[in-house]
Amino acid sequence: VERPSLITECADRFGVQCVVARIDGRRDGERWRVVVKGGREDTGLDAVEWAARCASLGAGELMLTSIDQDGARSGYDLAFTNAVRAAVSVPVIASGGAGE
């Protein structure tokens, strides 16, 4: 988040197949915001827009963690995952909330 150009630098050097951008998101009404530092700091970025930007910068995959679901073992935030999946053409990995 602090240096988006790092995504492109890594993709150029190692190939997009080696670059996975991890995005922590927190629900904010009908949207999700990018948070950092374990969810303690809101960046002000829209998580779906940021995911699309990461993919356009060269991330070959996106790993999403729903801070709201993380550790709850109540299931993934499928709305978050599907919103990102609809906005990008790279694989999306769900994280945060796995239970049974």
Side-chain angles (χ1 to χ4, degrees), residues 31-85:
R31 305 181 78 154
W32 294 268
R33 307 289 280 190
V34 176
V35 294
V36 295
K37 300 181 181 175
R40 293 185 309 273
E41 186 176 309
D42 186 329
T43 65
L45 297 170
D46 178 276
V48 176
E49 291 173 6
W50 176 244
R53 182 161 180 224
C54 287
S56 72
L57 289 170
E61 294 182 22
L62 302 172
M63 181 176 177
L64 305 179
T65 300
S66 170
I67 294 298
D68 301 308
Q69 299 289 103
D70 198 30
R73 298 185 62 174
S74 59
Y76 297 114
D77 186 339
L78 296 180
F80 180 35
T81 304
N82 287 329
V84 171
R85 193 172 57 88

Side-chain angles (χ1 to χ4, degrees), residues 80-100:
F80 180 35
T81 304
N82 287 329
V84 171
R85 193 172 57 88
V88 301
S89 60
V90 299
V92 176
I93 303 164
S95 177
E100 298 179 16

